[in-house]
Amino acid sequence: MTPRPAPDWRTTDWLNTPEPLTLERLRGKVILLHAFQMLCPGCVARGIPQAQRVAEVFAGAPLVVVGLHTVFEHHEAMKLESLRAFLHEYRVRFPVGVDAPGEGGDPIPRTMRAYAMQGTPTTVLIDAQGRLRRQVFGMHDDLQLGAELQTLLLEAQTGPASGAQRPAPQKVPAACDDSGCR
Amino acid sequence: MTPRPAPDWRTTDWLNTPEPLTLERLRGKVILLHAFQMLCPGCVARGIPQAQRVAEVFAGAPLVVVGLHTVFEHHEAMKLESLRAFLHEYRVRFPVGVDAPGEGGDPIPRTMRAYAMQGTPTTVLIDAQGRLRRQVFGMHDDLQLGAELQTLLLEAQTGPASGAQRPAPQKVPAACDDSGCR
Amino acid sequence: MTPRPAPDWRTTDWLNTPEPLTLERLRGKVILLHAFQMLCPGCVARGIPQAQRVAEVFAGAPLVVVGLHTVFEHHEAMKLESLRAFLHEYRVRFPVGVDAPGEGGDPIPRTMRAYAMQGTPTTVLIDAQGRLRRQVFGMHDDLQLGAELQTLLLEAQTGPASGAQRPAPQKVPAACDDSGCR
Amino acid sequence: MTPRPAPDWRTTDWLNTPEPLTLERLRGKVILLHAFQMLCPGCVARGIPQAQRVAEVFAGAPLVVVGLHTVFEHHEAMKLESLRAFLHEYRVRFPVGVDAPGEGGDPIPRTMRAYAMQGTPTTVLIDAQGRLRRQVFGMHDDLQLGAELQTLLLEAQTGPASGAQRPAPQKVPAACDDSGCR
């Protein structure tokens, strides 16, 4: 099955970034899109911390972590001012977009609808060509997420079309680490 | 720096496997070698559980998790019979070799000495060509470990010499998962 | 030092209770007052879960767990509608009062000010006579909290004035439990 | 039901204490007896750490934490030398007795049999008069354990026979703590 292009994001506001982010502007980078609600216990306890660790562990790699606030219930309780305070208190540093309200009374916001997300947290992986490659509802295993991100990073390194060179090992130094093995 | 071949293992016993494992017999597979002591609190609480999760998450991939019991203190306390009961009680399923005693009164066992390990737990990654690619003393981050293992798995897939094809994505399905996004 | 009466609560709203709670109406019961903010990470991760476990473990005892929403920053972010959704999503069942806004522009709400709380979470223990007996800022150890609550419960049992009888053991069955020891 | 005297301990060795401990010598103190096996995962992960925290939180109170190594399986794997190294590596400071082997081929050691313990970990509470007051197989809740210990401590304070005075509050300072409430 051929990967399809990831749907564009429909947002009303952005926090933690001087200007709105779009798929087009991020082309060439692997994207971890973390969809959450600020009052979703699983997001707060596990999803958001995982997204933050991805940003730290893969700092330096051509990878961007982007949050998406996909409120589909308790809309009055999670407005922009509350989200702003939430990000401040939880020290969330990555950019966060606010998903645009659903059309025609739809409680599901527009980007969430376009990706057919089942709920929050949802983790979406988009490759450097802007294609949707992975979407997981609920918690995602760290070991597996690390492997999946690395696959997309190595693909990006070889280039989508050519693929003529073998990917240089990334994050695996040529020999041993500081711990020795002379 | 060119990776060097991983030193051979010097063991006296093996548990959880019908016959001893050697680097040569595992050629073609990525190896996670987990060096531990059964009375090392960090190994018990975090290292061994991580190795077990690697075995589960990468089941199906050409990857082998191997334990190595590298006793360098309290030798009388961690003999074969104790290790056997430990593996049973902690439900450790992967093969475990017992590192051979050090030579000439050396308290450090032989394989541990050959790899110049600093202590336990130590995680060693060996590529499909039998080369030592990574060695970490202490706890290793799950996200990063997942990425490193995936790099070695993708390398193994393209073949060491040719590298003429782009690695097929592994663990990242072509499109979306069960969670939706038709 | 003689314990002083606990200051009265000044609140604007109550959730999870058909009518407002007051110290006077709770006389005769031991009170655990848990002061929190819905966007305080330490409250969400540890303080509120501890208060909930107290309510469960001491169900049946003359003890009441009361929450107090003491917002002293990001006031716009934690209004009543947000708090209501928060309690719903985190399945908080105990009654929660909303601390009244500070006077004369004071960002510290009135009850928080009266108790001279240093921040959130703060755990306050009030005895059956309505006296302030313990106030802890930050996390409180479960073992110690259990011991403190039991002291106040046993005091309540013997009565404040008389004290003529030895307290009947509570929560410690006369002999052994289901596990045996016939 | 009247509490019965706790059965005497039958041990072969003691560690972390200059001389063997007996119920008689500990009369007047509340005892937390923690029965464990060094290769029991639940004991290592939760039971022993809980016993250690009790010793810390109640330091200063007339309370003694005593370990009992009740090996009922894998006897060859958990001999004295292994136990000694285990206590060293896990920094267990409280005294630990080694339960005497069962009679007539009984795999259950003698003290474990006398208390009719169902397995490990088992937590036993003995009051200052040497009476068995509580026995829990498996994990025991911190809040409840704290409450139970406090009951026995307060009883000890008033004296078993008289009970004429009301117990002085223990662990609950007369007024507020360092955090304020002037």
Side-chain angles (χ1 to χ4, degrees):
Chain A
M1 191 151 73
T2 310
R4 61 166 182 147
D8 281 333
W9 304 334
R10 301 300 188 87
T11 55
T12 54
D13 294 278
W14 282 88
L15 298 170
N16 289 344
T17 171
E19 47 187 5
L21 298 183
T22 63
L23 282 173
E24 188 161 320
R25 292 177 53 181
L26 295 173
R27 194 61 48 87
K29 295 188 175 175
V30 173
I31 301 170
L32 170 68
L33 179 70
H34 182 69
F36 71 99
Q37 293 181 105
M38 59 170 280
L39 293 184
C40 151
C43 304
V44 170
R46 295 186 302 276
I48 293 171
Q50 183 183 59
Q52 287 176 301
R53 281 183 290 107
V54 166
E56 288 162 19
V57 166
F58 289 88
L63 182 149
V64 182
V65 173
V66 178
L68 184 69
H69 198 225
T70 52
V71 179
F72 61 90
E73 55 184 351
H74 308 300
H75 295 83
E76 290 306 304
M78 295 185 266
K79 295 189 142 180
L80 186 61
E81 203 52 44
S82 295
L83 175 62
R84 193 191 308 275
F86 171 83
L87 297 180
H88 176 81
E89 290 302 312
Y90 279 84
R91 293 174 169 71
V92 174
R93 313 272 190 229
F94 51 76
V96 174
V98 176
D99 201 356
E103 293 171 297
D106 185 359
I108 309 292
R110 292 177 70 174
T111 312
M112 187 180 186
R113 178 66 76 196
Y115 281 76
M117 293 177 188
Q118 294 185 300
T120 55
T122 289
T123 299
V124 177
L125 304 189
I126 297 169
D127 68 21
Q129 299 178 68
R131 300 178 306 179
L132 182 52
R133 296 293 291 278
R134 183 78 160 121
Q135 185 165 316
V136 178
F137 169 50
M139 268 311 290
H140 196 23
D141 181 82
D142 272 2
L143 285 165
Q144 192 161 345
L145 177 57
E148 291 169 354
L149 289 169
Q150 187 72 342
T151 296
L152 300 185
L153 285 168
L154 290 171
E155 276 184 25
Q157 209 168 6
T158 52
S162 81
Q165 326 95 290
R166 173 159 141 275
Q170 194 174 19
K171 292 271 169 194
V172 183
C176 298
D177 73 343
D178 312 343
S179 306
C181 63
R182 283 157 305 279
Chain B
M1 191 151 73
T2 310
R4 62 164 181 144
D8 281 333
W9 303 334
R10 302 298 188 89
T11 54
T12 55
D13 294 279
W14 282 87
L15 297 170
N16 288 345
T17 170
E19 48 186 4
L21 298 183
T22 64
L23 282 173
E24 188 161 320
R25 292 178 53 181
L26 295 173
R27 193 63 47 88
K29 295 189 175 174
V30 173
I31 301 170
L32 169 68
L33 181 70
H34 182 69
F36 71 100
Q37 293 181 103
M38 59 171 278
L39 294 184
C40 151
C43 304
V44 170
R46 294 186 302 275
I48 293 171
Q50 184 183 57
Q52 287 176 300
R53 280 184 290 108
V54 166
E56 288 162 19
V57 167
F58 289 90
L63 181 149
V64 183
V65 174
V66 178
L68 185 68
H69 198 224
T70 53
V71 179
F72 61 90
E73 56 184 349
H74 309 301
H75 295 82
E76 290 305 304
M78 295 185 267
K79 295 190 142 178
L80 185 61
E81 202 53 42
S82 294
L83 175 62
R84 192 191 309 274
F86 171 83
L87 298 180
H88 176 80
E89 289 302 313
Y90 279 83
R91 292 175 171 70
V92 174
R93 312 272 190 231
F94 51 75
V96 174
V98 176
D99 201 356
E103 292 173 298
D106 185 359
I108 310 291
R110 292 177 69 176
T111 312
M112 187 180 186
R113 178 66 76 194
Y115 281 77
M117 293 176 189
Q118 293 185 301
T120 53
T122 288
T123 299
V124 177
L125 303 190
I126 297 169
D127 68 19
Q129 300 178 68
R131 300 178 306 178
L132 183 52
R133 295 294 292 279
R134 184 75 161 123
Q135 185 164 317
V136 178
F137 169 51
M139 266 313 288
H140 195 24
D141 181 82
D142 272 1
L143 285 165
Q144 191 161 346
L145 177 56
E148 292 170 354
L149 290 170
Q150 187 72 342
T151 297
L152 299 185
L153 285 168
L154 290 172
E155 276 184 26
Q157 209 169 8
T158 52
S162 81
Q165 326 95 290
R166 174 158 140 276
Q170 195 174 19
K171 293 265 169 200
V172 183
C176 299
D177 73 344
D178 312 343
S179 306
C181 61
R182 285 155 305 279
Chain C
M1 191 151 73
T2 310
R4 62 165 180 144
D8 281 333
W9 304 334
R10 303 297 190 88
T11 54
T12 54
D13 294 279
W14 282 88
L15 298 170
N16 288 344
T17 171
E19 47 186 5
L21 299 183
T22 64
L23 282 172
E24 188 162 320
R25 292 177 54 179
L26 295 173
R27 195 62 47 89
K29 295 189 175 175
V30 174
I31 301 170
L32 169 69
L33 180 69
H34 182 70
F36 71 98
Q37 293 181 104
M38 60 170 279
L39 294 184
C40 151
C43 304
V44 171
R46 294 185 303 275
I48 292 170
Q50 184 183 58
Q52 287 176 300
R53 281 183 290 108
V54 166
E56 289 162 17
V57 167
F58 289 89
L63 182 150
V64 182
V65 174
V66 178
L68 185 68
H69 198 224
T70 53
V71 179
F72 61 91
E73 56 184 350
H74 308 300
H75 295 82
E76 289 306 304
M78 295 185 267
K79 297 190 139 177
L80 186 61
E81 202 52 44
S82 295
L83 175 62
R84 194 190 308 274
F86 171 82
L87 298 180
H88 176 80
E89 289 302 312
Y90 279 84
R91 292 172 170 70
V92 175
R93 313 270 190 231
F94 51 75
V96 174
V98 176
D99 202 357
E103 293 173 297
D106 185 359
I108 310 291
R110 292 177 69 176
T111 312
M112 188 180 184
R113 178 66 76 195
Y115 281 76
M117 293 177 189
Q118 294 185 301
T120 54
T122 288
T123 299
V124 177
L125 303 190
I126 297 169
D127 68 21
Q129 299 178 69
R131 300 178 307 179
L132 183 52
R133 296 293 292 278
R134 183 77 160 123
Q135 185 164 319
V136 178
F137 169 50
M139 265 315 286
H140 195 23
D141 181 81
D142 272 1
L143 286 165
Q144 191 161 345
L145 177 57
E148 292 170 354
L149 290 170
Q150 187 72 343
T151 296
L152 300 185
L153 285 169
L154 290 172
E155 276 183 26
Q157 208 169 7
T158 52
S162 81
Q165 326 96 290
R166 174 158 141 278
Q170 195 173 19
K171 293 267 169 199
V172 183
C176 297
D177 72 344
D178 314 341
S179 306
C181 62
R182 278 157 305 278
Chain D
M1 190 152 71
T2 311
R4 61 165 181 146
D8 281 333
W9 304 335
R10 303 298 189 87
T11 54
T12 54
D13 294 278
W14 282 88
L15 298 170
N16 288 344
T17 172
E19 45 187 7
L21 299 183
T22 63
L23 282 173
E24 189 162 318
R25 293 178 53 180
L26 295 173
R27 194 62 47 88
K29 295 189 175 174
V30 174
I31 301 170
L32 168 69
L33 180 70
H34 182 69
F36 72 99
Q37 294 182 104
M38 60 172 278
L39 294 184
C40 151
C43 304
V44 170
R46 295 186 302 275
I48 293 170
Q50 184 184 56
Q52 288 176 300
R53 281 183 289 108
V54 167
E56 289 163 17
V57 167
F58 289 89
L63 181 148
V64 183
V65 174
V66 178
L68 184 69
H69 198 224
T70 52
V71 179
F72 61 90
E73 56 184 349
H74 308 302
H75 295 81
E76 289 306 303
M78 294 186 267
K79 297 188 138 179
L80 186 61
E81 202 53 44
S82 295
L83 176 61
R84 193 191 309 275
F86 171 82
L87 297 180
H88 176 81
E89 289 301 313
Y90 280 84
R91 292 172 171 71
V92 175
R93 313 271 190 230
F94 52 74
V96 175
V98 176
D99 201 356
E103 293 173 296
D106 185 359
I108 309 292
R110 291 177 68 175
T111 312
M112 186 178 187
R113 179 66 76 192
Y115 281 75
M117 292 176 190
Q118 294 185 300
T120 54
T122 289
T123 299
V124 177
L125 304 189
I126 298 169
D127 67 21
Q129 301 179 67
R131 300 178 306 179
L132 182 51
R133 295 293 292 278
R134 183 77 159 122
Q135 184 165 318
V136 178
F137 169 51
M139 268 313 288
H140 196 23
D141 180 82
D142 272 2
L143 286 164
Q144 191 162 345
L145 177 57
E148 292 169 352
L149 289 170
Q150 187 72 342
T151 296
L152 300 184
L153 285 168
L154 290 172
E155 275 183 25
Q157 210 169 5
T158 52
S162 83
Q165 326 95 291
R166 173 156 141 279
Q170 195 174 17
K171 292 267 169 198
V172 183
C176 298
D177 73 343
D178 313 342
S179 307
C181 60
R182 283 157 305 279

